[in-house]
Amino acid sequence: MSCGATNFGGQFFIATTASNDDLTLSEFEGLTYSEVPNLVTCDPTGITQNVNSDSTWDRPVVCKGKGEANAGDPNIEFQDTPSAGMDLMVAAAAYDNTYNYAFKFVWADGSEEYNRGLVTGPQRTKGGNEDFKHVIFTLGLQQPPEVVE
């Protein structure tokens, strides 16, 4: 029985050009990406959705309905090492850069996840005496992820 895949050997990429409109899987796959090496950790990605409720006098249980969905706002942390991918992340995160970019996660088992959104940051961690320098970006994702198993 398999235990599943770990993140070990995984990679993260940012597209080299902006993509402001929603992308299909084939459009994601047709883009050119640059790896951002030394990924340390990433918050969960995927859709979250508000559940709205409305209480009425005559019902013993509140009415509920789905509200706005959010494609996610994960923080993603890297070792602070120079690379073309890191340069793209920093440029995408500039406070006056309002463009969306495509992102690609690739795992060692060959599975992939594509996302698209804004980049903010970076925040630069400090930590303790023996900690490595890290940078943290926030991805403001704009569409549901495309997953390739």
Side-chain angles (χ1 to χ4, degrees), residues 45-117:
T45 59
I47 300 296
T48 60
Q49 192 164 8
N50 295 336
V51 175
N52 301 323
S53 62
D54 192 22
S55 180
T56 63
W57 288 13
D58 60 335
R59 289 180 55 98
V61 177
V62 298
C63 294
K64 294 186 179 180
K66 288 185 176 183
E68 292 180 320
N70 183 343
D73 302 295
N75 288 327
I76 187 164
E77 185 171 344
F78 302 91
Q79 285 183 352
D80 190 5
T81 53
S83 72
M86 183 62 71
D87 291 345
L88 284 168
M89 289 292 289
V90 170
Y95 72 91
D96 58 350
N97 183 343
T98 59
Y99 295 112
N100 290 270
Y101 293 83
F103 311 105
K104 177 171 69 169
F105 292 90
V106 178
W107 284 268
D109 68 355
S111 59
E112 299 175 334
E113 179 183 315
Y114 294 93
N115 295 281
R116 185 187 61 82

Side-chain angles (χ1 to χ4, degrees), residues 4-12 35 38-42 105-111:
T6 67
N7 291 327
F8 183 77
Q11 298 170 288
F12 176 82
E35 183 180 1
N38 301 313
L39 173 59
V40 175
T41 189
C42 183
F105 292 90
V106 178
W107 284 268
D109 68 355
S111 59

Side-chain angles (χ1 to χ4, degrees), residues 111-131:
S111 59
E112 299 175 334
E113 179 183 315
Y114 294 93
N115 295 281
R116 185 187 61 82
L118 302 167
V119 182
T120 66
Q123 294 180 313
R124 300 187 184 281
T125 64
K126 303 304 182 263
N129 194 40
E130 294 186 342
D131 291 337

